[in-house]
């Protein structure tokens, strides 16, 4: 299973910049306003703290588990809308 963090924030551009600046290398955004952090060992509490301290409002955050096959299909078919 692949575990990742899904968030909704008020400023996806700023949140993306903050996370990548802090070393997160697998941060994605979708067209529905969600951000995804796929970095192994990423801690949702640490991520929320980083974003809030940078002035980004976090509206929701949760961990999601999907099989590698589900993730591969969503990425290769574009059905997940993640970029």
């Amino acid at each position: 299973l692949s575990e990742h963090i899904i968030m909704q924030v008020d400023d996806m551009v700023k949140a993306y910049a903050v996370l990548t600046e802090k070393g997160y290398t697998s941060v994605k955004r979708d067209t529905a306003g969600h951000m995804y952090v796929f970095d192994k060992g990423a801690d949702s509490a640490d991520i929320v703290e980083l974003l809030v301290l940078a002035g980004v409002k976090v509206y929701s955050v949760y961990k999601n588990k999907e099989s590698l096959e589900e993730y591969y299909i969503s990425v290769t078919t574009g059905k997940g809308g993640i970029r």
Side-chain angles (χ1 to χ4, degrees):
L1 292 177
S2 170
E3 186 174 281
H4 56 277
I5 297 167
I6 303 173
M7 301 175 289
Q8 285 187 299
V9 298
D10 70 333
D11 186 340
M12 289 187 15
V13 173
K14 186 173 183 178
Y16 182 85
V18 168
L19 293 175
T20 55
E21 182 180 298
K22 292 296 184 179
Y24 291 92
T25 59
S26 188
V27 180
K28 307 294 180 193
R29 299 171 282 182
D30 72 13
T31 55
H34 298 96
M35 294 196 71
Y36 302 80
V37 180
F38 291 95
D39 291 75
K40 187 174 183 174
D43 181 74
S44 57
D46 291 341
I47 289 172
V48 169
E49 181 180 18
L50 283 173
L51 295 175
V52 169
L53 289 174
V56 177
K57 292 181 182 177
V58 179
Y59 298 121
S60 67
V61 60
Y62 62 96
K63 285 191 175 186
N64 188 35
K65 292 183 183 183
E66 66 183 343
S67 71
L68 186 56
E69 180 182 10
E70 290 169 327
Y71 173 68
Y72 177 79
I73 290 170
S74 72
V75 170
T76 59
T77 65
K79 291 185 178 181
I82 301 171
R83 56 182 160 99

